[in-house]
Amino acid sequence: MGYTISSIKRTRKIIFEGNSLSWTTQRNPDGLNEYYIPRAIAAVAAPTYTPVYFPISGQTQATINSLMATKVLQYSEKGDIVVLWEGTNDLNVGALSAQAAFDNVVIYAQKVVGRGCKLVICTATARDFAGDAADLMTRIDAYNVLVRNNAATYGYTICDLGADPMFDTRADTANATNYSTDLLHLIKPGQDNVISLLTTAVTPLI
């Protein structure tokens, strides 16, 4: 029996984009593998969705947007799931305002949702990294509000990490149960909580 191309069901993908928070555990004493969080979510989406990992340490949303043509837009198709967790580097490394950082997210969302993908955007978690600007948490909070308030407008699902009591204030970063000693990256209990929150956001889309 022959098959037309249209009759062969393609493999759907779950695509991850972000920075060191989802890329690696380079400052993590737990010795977890790279992509610890994305791999856990990929396992939830398997076997229907095949994972593609694009997070890179230090990456900003502006950089992610500049690479869209050769990454998410090249590999995604209608029905795929895309998980985006950035914000923190645009606000810190890029020194952007909350609105400017969110504007970068809007550019990304319009392209990805326009392809027919199901997009999940994570809000930014608290941080107190050495050298952080004094107003960084204020801008993170304002950025998170914009992400929350515009989901319906731009057609994405929110994973509200920044509203969770583990990650919502600068004081949370001093909790060595969840945060690395750099007060930015998460160790296993903190990462496991991110996995739980992301699983809740992604599962209805599978």
Side-chain angles (χ1 to χ4, degrees), residues 27-45:
R27 296 180 178 88
N28 191 332
D30 294 315
L32 304 176
N33 293 328
E34 288 184 353
Y35 307 126
Y36 176 69
I37 292 171
R39 288 182 190 278
I41 304 305
V44 172

Side-chain angles (χ1 to χ4, degrees), residues 19-21 26-28 57-58 88-89 91-94 125-140 167 169-175 179-186:
N19 51 49
S20 61
L21 291 171
Q26 59 184 349
R27 296 180 178 88
N28 191 332
S57 181
T88 189
N89 283 343
L91 293 164
N92 182 55
V93 178
T125 50
R127 54 182 287 164
D128 194 16
F129 192 63
D132 279 356
D135 70 336
L136 181 57
M137 275 307 305
T138 299
R139 286 183 284 127
I140 285 175
F167 314 123
T169 68
R170 180 180 277 117
D172 294 330
T173 66
N175 186 338
Y179 275 83
S180 174
T181 55
D182 67 7
L183 308 184
L184 167 59
H185 295 90
L186 305 175

Side-chain angles (χ1 to χ4, degrees), residues 77-132:
E77 299 177 80
K78 183 177 180 179
D80 290 344
I81 298 172
V82 178
V83 179
L84 173 68
W85 183 17
E86 213 298 280
T88 189
N89 283 343
D90 249 14
L91 293 164
N92 182 55
V93 178
L96 298 185
S97 68
Q99 185 64 59
F102 180 68
D103 288 345
N104 282 340
V105 170
V106 171
I107 291 169
Y108 186 89
Q110 289 177 322
K111 293 285 189 181
V112 170
V113 174
R115 290 183 72 81
C117 297
K118 296 171 277 189
L119 175 61
V120 178
I121 297 180
C122 300
T123 52
T125 50
R127 54 182 287 164
D128 194 16
F129 192 63
D132 279 356

Side-chain angles (χ1 to χ4, degrees), residues 44 49 81 118 120 157-158 196-206:
V44 172
Y49 293 84
I81 298 172
K118 296 171 277 189
V120 178
T157 296
I158 301 169
S196 176
L197 294 167
L198 255 177
T199 297
T200 298
V202 168
T203 298
L205 305 179
I206 297 172

